[in-house]
């Protein structure tokens, strides 16, 4: 009975520590279809722009003198753009992901990878997905994941907090469930913190995206 009480107390204390560390996270106005709000970050926002999936975030405390466009390895039609944000004074980070790259059947050409630093991907049974990792000096280590039914993106962010923890929430776009978003705390070496977005590429979603992609296919 005493060992059970100690175990139960440990669970309660663990929960208190977890929710205490997440105290800076707001769920907005509440209700279904509302995304978490991350201090210092606007987004991520999703938009279909022609044959590209545009994923944007504004990092209000990240300041750079100039930006640029950077290709994403193994995604020949996709790229990352970083530029100073005019309104916030922070930095606009925009990933332009080509539907041709996502739907082109190249999953088998990518090596399975975990989160940067080696921790398992949350919500993924194997803990890994085929991925392309790359580094941009102004941002850090990014990773683009592409599974048979999942598309994902890891964006580094130094000020996530939650040392050693990973907190995962449902992610919505247009009021509809689109996947999961995770806040990834720094690992045991104090590195590899950031935001992980995993989108569900179910059959209906894939069919719709293929219809859009075919309109722009050369």
């Amino acid at each position: 009975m005493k060992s059970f009480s100690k175990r139960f107390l440990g669970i309660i204390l663990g929960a208190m520590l977890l929710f205490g560390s997440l105290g800076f996270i707001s769920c907005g106005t509440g209700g279904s279809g509302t995304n978490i709000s991350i201090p210092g970050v606007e987004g991520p926002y999703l938009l279909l722009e022609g044959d590209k999936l545009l994923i944007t975030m504004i990092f209000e405390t990240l300041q750079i003198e100039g930006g640029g466009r950077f290709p994403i390895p193994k995604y020949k039609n996709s790229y990352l753009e970083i530029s100073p944000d005019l309104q916030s004074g922070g930095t606009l980070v925009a990933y332009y992901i080509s539907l041709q790259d996502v739907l082109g059947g190249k999953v088998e050409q990518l090596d399975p990878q975990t989160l940067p630093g080696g921790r398992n991907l949350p919500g993924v049974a194997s803990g890994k997905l085929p991925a392309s990792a790359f580094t941009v000096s102004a941002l850090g280590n990014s990773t683009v994941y592409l599974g048979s039914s999942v598309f994902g993106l890891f964006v580094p962010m130094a000020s996530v907090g939650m040392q050693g923890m990973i907190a995962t929430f449902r992610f919505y776009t247009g009021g509809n469930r689109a996947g999961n978003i995770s806040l990834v705390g720094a690992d045991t070496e104090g590195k590899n913190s950031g935001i992980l977005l995993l989108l569900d590429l179910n059959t209906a979603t894939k069919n719709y995206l293929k219809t859009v992609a075919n309109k722009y296919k050369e």
Side-chain angles (χ1 to χ4, degrees):
M1 186 68 176
K2 186 178 292 185
S3 62
F4 173 80
S5 299
K6 286 183 177 179
R7 237 182 9 251
F8 181 73
L9 179 59
I11 293 172
I12 293 298
L13 288 174
M16 288 173 66
L17 286 172
L18 174 61
F19 285 105
S21 67
L22 297 181
F24 62 88
I25 300 171
S26 166
C27 291
T29 57
S32 178
T34 302
N35 288 322
I36 62 167
S37 176
I38 307 170
V41 178
E42 288 187 29
Y45 301 113
L46 271 61
L47 179 69
L48 266 180
E49 190 173 274
D51 67 338
K52 286 183 171 58
L53 175 62
L54 174 58
I55 305 173
T56 62
M57 291 179 239
I58 296 174
F59 291 86
E60 296 172 348
T61 59
L62 175 63
Q63 296 184 342
I64 60 173
E65 293 300 321
R69 178 178 292 189
F70 309 91
I72 297 176
K74 301 182 181 179
Y75 285 62
K76 66 177 184 178
N77 302 301
S78 304
Y79 54 90
L80 163 66
E81 277 194 353
I82 301 176
S83 61
D85 181 56
L86 293 174
Q87 294 182 324
S88 69
T91 298
L92 173 63
V93 176
Y95 292 83
Y96 291 81
I97 308 297
S98 168
L99 296 183
Q100 310 294 342
D101 294 341
V102 173
L103 303 173
K106 298 181 180 179
V107 175
E108 68 280 357
Q109 298 179 17
L110 302 174
D111 294 328
Q113 296 188 37
T114 59
L115 285 168
R119 286 175 290 178
N120 285 346
L121 291 169
V124 177
S126 65
K128 300 180 179 181
L129 284 173
S132 174
F134 61 103
T135 301
V136 176
S137 58
L139 193 62
N141 299 319
S142 293
T143 307
V144 177
Y145 300 93
L146 180 58
S148 58
S149 59
V150 179
F151 171 79
L153 183 66
F154 177 83
V155 184
M157 181 181 175
S159 57
V160 169
M162 306 189 312
Q163 177 81 26
M165 297 183 183
I166 299 176
T168 300
F169 306 86
R170 290 178 173 85
F171 180 76
Y172 301 90
T173 182
N176 298 312
R177 174 80 181 278
N180 288 344
I181 186 169
S182 299
L183 302 184
V184 180
D187 55 23
T188 54
E189 296 183 358
K191 301 177 181 178
N192 300 307
S193 59
I195 300 170
L196 174 69
L197 181 64
L198 293 179
L199 302 177
D200 182 13
L201 292 182
N202 56 43
T203 302
T205 301
K206 273 190 173 181
N207 288 340
Y208 172 72
L209 294 178
K210 284 179 180 177
T211 301
V212 175
N214 287 336
K215 295 180 181 178
Y216 297 89
K217 200 169 183 178
E218 296 180 355

